[in-house]
Amino acid sequence: VESPGGEVGGLFDLVEAIRTIKHSSGKPLWAVASETALSAAYAIASAADQIIVTRTGELGSVGIVAVHLDASGADAMAGLKWTLIHAGARKTDGNPHEPLSPRATADLQDDVDALYDDLVAVVAANRGISSTAVRATEAAIYRGEKAVKAGLTDRVGTLAQAIADLEAALDAKRIRAGPPRNRTAVREFPSPARTLAMIPTNPLIDDTGAEPPED
């Protein structure tokens, strides 16, 4: 994983889909933060059975942010005055051409809080830790060993080490399971009928096919 995160749209459905595929396939799923798995990217990585982070890799930033840009001052300096003609009192809430109203601020905060609750719940469930522990990170970013101590990752290692360890784990599992069963059904056909030639008995030839010695 090498991502600082991104938009929340589709995130929770994607994480759920990954978990469903992991459980239905029965295959191990490991994630390596090399070098960054933050915010939405960390939520995706958390669906893995194990998370490995490089020594300088970054994990966390489990939080939600919404941004409003108030460009009304820049508009005024540019001699621009916007008139928004709309129906529905909240249709233009959050538009960049006027300051954010108290009502729009409260609505946006409610949305951020709800998404944060969902994100915390997903990460906590995937990592097997409490929601309180996830909230206690305060959306901080942790590097290497500090991420291990925070419970956000299992260990520090490189991508190459993770691949080697996964291969070793799979080999050990194969040894314990024994040789694979032959699941391919083989249909056995009877041998084709053979025509036996009836050879007349030769009294001068014994059972071994050798001629009797002469007197």
Side-chain angles (χ1 to χ4, degrees), residues 10 28 84 87-88 98 101 109 150 159-160 164 172 202-203 214:
L84 304 178
E98 59 186 7
S101 68
Q109 185 63 60
L159 176 59
N202 186 345
E214 295 181 355

Side-chain angles (χ1 to χ4, degrees), residues 61-186:
S61 189
V62 183
I64 303 292
V65 59
V67 178
H68 174 262
L69 175 63
D70 180 1
S72 58
D75 290 339
M77 292 179 64
L80 301 175
K81 183 177 180 180
W82 293 75
T83 301
L84 304 178
I85 301 172
H86 60 94
R90 303 189 181 204
K91 180 63 177 177
T92 60
D93 281 0
N95 80 84
H97 303 295
E98 59 186 7
L100 201 61
S101 68
R103 180 186 64 194
T105 301
D107 288 346
L108 193 56
Q109 185 63 60
D110 287 344
D111 189 40
V112 167
D113 290 342
L115 291 172
Y116 182 56
D117 289 343
D118 291 342
L119 180 61
V120 167
V122 165
V123 170
N126 286 348
R127 291 296 300 161
I129 58 180
S130 68
S131 296
T132 301
V134 177
R135 290 180 183 276
T137 67
E138 295 289 351
I141 295 175
Y142 298 84
R143 191 188 301 275
E145 286 290 350
K146 291 184 177 180
V148 178
K149 293 178 181 179
L152 298 180
T153 185
D154 298 290
R155 57 191 172 93
V156 174
T158 65
L159 176 59
Q161 289 172 342
I163 293 174
D165 291 345
L166 180 57
E167 289 177 344
L170 292 175
D171 287 341
K173 184 177 180 181
R174 294 189 190 101
I175 292 173
R176 290 194 301 268
R181 295 180 179 179
N182 184 8
R183 297 182 179 179
T184 303
V186 178

